[in-house]
Amino acid sequence: VHAAIEVFRPPHEHELRRLDPARLLSFGSVCKLMATTMMCAVLSYLSVPRRAGMPMAEYNFGYKQNLLRVLLSGVVPLVTMAAVHRSRDADINRVVHLFSSSFLVGYPLLFAVELAAATAARLAVLAWLEPSAFRLCPGVPALHLPWVLRRHGYLASRAALLLMTLVQSCAVAPLVEQAFRVHLFNRGGVLAGDRRARHDRHAGHPPVTVRTYTIYMLAVALGLKAADNTRRVLLYSGPAPPYAKEFFAFMRGLFPVHELCGALAAQAMARRDVLGHRVSTAAVLLPGAVLQAMAGLRGMKPAFVWRSDMPWHELQLHPWTTPDHASPPELLFKTCAGLLWFLILSRVFNHVLRQHVQLSRELLLQQQLEAMR
């Protein structure tokens, strides 16, 4: 009798928690992770520079080096997600879905949308400052015109070239990328706007909290970042000192602009959807867009810019950006600029942490007040 009772006794809470769907990877999530890994492997194989008479063993060695650099660029993002994720706040399968969809589908779409927006911005600047450039049409297609002016012998003014660069890299691209992060987040179905969902655990999904928004937005941001890092690491095929490419690949993963931009948007949406505050769309998009615009001024390239042969400029690593013939004032200026950028990133990171704590405390207070009613 005691044995039968032991067999049919109800499971304890900690045993049920082990079977929580939010903690277990589904078969679909495993397939998505395998598809992402296979995409990285295929791109690494196709990115090996091939020359005539190249032995297959040398080609395979280059493929292994490319794959190692891609994996190095993902070390810090993986550690970041592991540190932030908590199963009671986010479903691991939804995290995998947001990451893989951002990597496999979101980034190519972002590239196309950003390229179209940058082309429109450059055409607007040309129509304002260089209307004579349109005399090259219809011989040169209008959509192709702002990118091939010099090739067709047209020399635009420095003001027009500078304005086109600033508009596309520090205004259009940051806004498009931040809006794309929010769009991919909303497409992930994180129960936005349903404040009652934070009290429920229906359908096996954790309740929505401030940390839920942070985790899911971080998955989107890391998916776009991983795709961008993979592409730029594989495009960096120029001559370099030993282990320099591996070093820059690892530092790309450490560069936290994508994560901070996503966290700023996630906290604004959590303040609106979970806490019920009035938050405008501009308040969701502008903080991250401004931070990415500042990163663009420091050398970070938008998604539509294809070239990636000087990663030290994008990462603003002082020893590699300083010319060998630089004077002491130039060394001092570059050092101060690098320290200032580091302080800005540290300040934003500190702001994100403090806002997370403040919003979480406000949510807890709301829940306690509702429980007392």
Side-chain angles (χ1 to χ4, degrees), residues 132-145:
S132 58
F134 289 92
R135 296 174 183 173
L136 297 175
C137 299
V140 180
L143 295 179
H144 198 213
L145 178 64

Side-chain angles (χ1 to χ4, degrees), residues 72-90:
L72 284 175
S73 68
V75 170
V76 176
L78 181 62
V79 173
T80 302
M81 176 54 73
V84 175
H85 181 266
R86 194 167 57 182
S87 59
R88 70 182 185 185
D89 293 305

